[in-house]
Amino acid sequence: MTNAKLAYEETFDCVQCGYCLPACPTYVTMKTETHSPRGRINLVKVAAEGKLSLSELEDPINMCLGCRACEVVCPTNVQYGKILESAKAVLLEEKKKGMSKRARLFQAFFFDTMLPNKKMLKAAGVGVAAYQKSGLETIARKTKLLNTLPEKLQSFEKVLPDAEGLSKRKKRKTYYPAKNEPVFNIGFFTGCVMDTMFSSINTKSIELLQQAGCDVTVIKEQTCCGALQNHSGELDKTRELAKRNIKAFEQYDFDFVVNSIGGCGAMLVEYDHLFHGDSEWEERARRFSKKNVDISVILNQLSLPYKKAVNEVVTYQPSCHMSNVQKTVREPVNLIKSIPGIHLVELPQKDMCCGSAGIYNVIHYEKSMEILDEKMKSVKKITPKVIVTTNPGCHLQMKLGVEREGLTNEIRVVHLVELLAEACGMG
Amino acid sequence: MDTEKLVDLLKEVIVDHECILTDNADLHSYSYDASFGVHVPDVVIMAKSTIEVSNIIKLANEHEIPVYPRGQGTSLSGGPLPVKGGIVLDLSKWKDKLVIDPGDMVAVVSPGVLTAQINNAALEHGLIYPPDPSSSHVSTIGGNLAENSGGPRGLKYGVTKDYVIGLEVVTPEGEIIRTGGRTVKNVTGYDLTKLIVGSEGTLGVITEATLRLFPKPQATQTLMVLFEDVVVAGKAITNILSSGILPSKMEIMDQASIIAVEDYQPMGLPTDVDALVLIELDGHLAAIKDELKQVIEVCKSVGSREINVAQTKQEEAELWKARKLVSPAIVRVKPTKISEDATVPRSQIPEMFKRLQQIKAKYQVDLVVFGHVGDGNLHPNIIADKRDHEEMRSVEKAVEEIFRAAIELGGTLSGEHGIGTLKAPFMEMELGEVGLEMMKRIKRSWDPNNILNPGKIFPEPGQRLVLTDD
């Protein structure tokens, strides 16, 4: 275990102007400075100075979605992500000291074994459902690892996608050639939750890339991106996974490494941050990170063979990690607009997080639902027929929002890739 | 009184007990603003009604507990800092009222409404609320009223006080009064409205305000003018204003700020010029077309180097981007930004620029100048690192000399940020002993127990400028 330290020096970059306040979803819903970016930065600072105990720091840090909308509006470029991650790592280290052996084992099992292990994820039925069905919920409750386990976990069940069943799901091949003269040679990053619960989106992503003129390779050596581990403060585990991915993709000469998962993509483009000052890995990580892009960046440069018009009013809920970390903002919008027949209406306050934030909505269910309710107020202002997302977490959360508002028959939630595939006449 | 007892008493007058914060993390979160100094309060209350505020103040007055009204804590002068402990009264969550009356051309608002929201609501009726502090999308109207905030549009439209015609105020003894009303003309008795606005929360807590609105100008036109000599820029500004044209904004950037922006995000600005001036004209399209011609002529006749006129809205935004980038650009080297707002009469702008360069050289500080040049409200900004105490001592001396220069040139300590804790030590320098004493008398008669925002405006014996947090 590294000796985790709070990013104290970084807190001095904050001039406390407060420009981040209106951009912060938890400041809007929780209403106190304590739950704002400026507040959290200050608390990390005073905790580092010993004026606040780590247990007092815990709640404000844990309640942060990590959406990093604050970084985009910050006039002095404070590295909030770094400050937050340092606090998470310190808090986790502290917590582990006081954890029972059983709880430590569970934590280790969930992040080290279960998430990076596709077989296990598949067997369990994946993600939230996996969590319930596998009986982990009971274990977690007993070990008090997640002491705020939602009572309404079953609400997620209704919105879980009809995944390509284990038996039905075709075994993924390794190589998918371009349908015409290849423009780019692509390594496809599948993700772990994505490739089980939302595997059909990955299937469609690969097909769209082929149609647009890409040779696509799905290498078997790839593993989990490490985002969830990183958000939980498990820095060592994140680095381990990062190294495995870097090593795996280094063996090939891809033009780009492409994914359709806003959250994973954000982790991948920041791998270099994990190895700051590491002479062996920093440069390798930077090279790898530079190659990683969201699928929309690639498709936006190529042309898709649209076959039918989608005559619907759609809106787009950007993934925070895609906008704020990957800085991929225009490409998905351009792609949606390029679909024949489409009528795109901008979602008011689109830059506000939906409250999904990795597994935040599972761990902090009530707080997450308050944020979702704010989001749905915006949705109801424009009453779209389709909500487009670019990340599985947002996808589930928006479906849950639609369900909670009783709008399931009026509004459908799709991944951008699904909408594009529909317009291209794919199954 | 110990905090536990205080909280028990507060619980008797506050309906929602979740609005009383006493956790260590919460208290630390209300211990700062955007200026300097850290002061941890005993309790924070998020108030949401006049009765609640009145009851809190009555209680505080009875037990002589200090109360500090607070908006979103964007103050650059220490306005909301709880310097003597006690209660931080957070009014930023009280935003339920935002009524636009297009007939009377007024807005009636609760103190926690964001300033930009008032303007946005007014725009729906073809009206505007002109005061536009650069933090207007974050700052509350309550805070703007307390500090009498200005902004770029101050040149043509004035500042917050010019738009307030009525207030509801809770006095330091907990009484509820109304000042002014809904009419533009009102000379009934002393103008308490104007007394409260800009009193920095020391004379009362503003619980509702009635604000004037103006018709929205039909069009705007922006141009950027470059000057090789700041004296020439000053001349151009004076000549434009004396030619009968009143631009809505006139912003200046000095060479150091231009270089900082170019280093940060190259926009193709020439870095060998002495000053860059951004001018915005607003009004009827035909009128501003004609005014634009005149402005160009004036600039050329005094010897401007280059004039860049925005042809589209997009180009307009592009020109303003340079100004917006100054802040992130200048903090890249060192993180601490000391933003001053000393203001001089317009005719003294070139002289003030000269003095600022002298101060920069004398104290070896990293100083850049930008700001609202049309009304003499310059923003000399010093970039430093507050962890470096030796450097901060030089900065403090430089700032002190900036204040002295502004006053010597017939200007003022603060154009729009307020006095707060930061500038209190210099009050007598500008106002004189008697002038300051008359203000103190007003404070004493309004607030006999000195419970409302103590430690602000008036210097403590021996108080000096401190720009560090400890």
Side-chain angles (χ1 to χ4, degrees), chain B residues 217-239:
Chain B
Q218 292 178 13
T220 57
Q221 171 70 60
T222 298
L223 66 155
M224 177 191 276
V225 192
L226 301 168
F227 297 93
E228 266 158 21
D229 183 348
V230 74
V231 177
V232 177
K235 204 159 185 234
I237 290 156
T238 317
N239 288 3

Side-chain angles (χ1 to χ4, degrees), chain A residues 9 27 31 33-34 38 75, chain B residues 26 32 72-73 93 328 387:
Chain A
E9 297 302 323
Y27 181 68
K31 300 184 170 60
E33 178 84 16
T34 321
R38 179 175 66 173
Chain B
D26 287 325
Y32 55 81
Q72 298 244 72
K93 299 297 153 314
R387 285 163 289 192

Side-chain angles (χ1 to χ4, degrees), chain B residues 68-99:
Chain B
Y68 312 85
R70 186 184 194 272
Q72 298 244 72
T74 56
S75 173
L76 290 166
S77 58
L81 297 178
V83 292
K84 293 180 187 297
I87 302 169
V88 165
L89 188 61
D90 175 18
L91 298 154
S92 66
K93 299 297 153 314
W94 181 3
K95 43 185 155 193
D96 53 345
K97 189 185 259 184
L98 170 50
V99 183

Side-chain angles (χ1 to χ4, degrees), chain B residues 388-403:
Chain B
D388 183 344
H389 285 226
E390 201 180 321
E391 181 183 26
M392 292 314 280
R393 291 291 98 83
S394 303
V395 174
E396 283 160 6
K397 282 185 196 144
V399 169
E400 209 173 314
E401 205 152 316
I402 293 173
F403 292 151

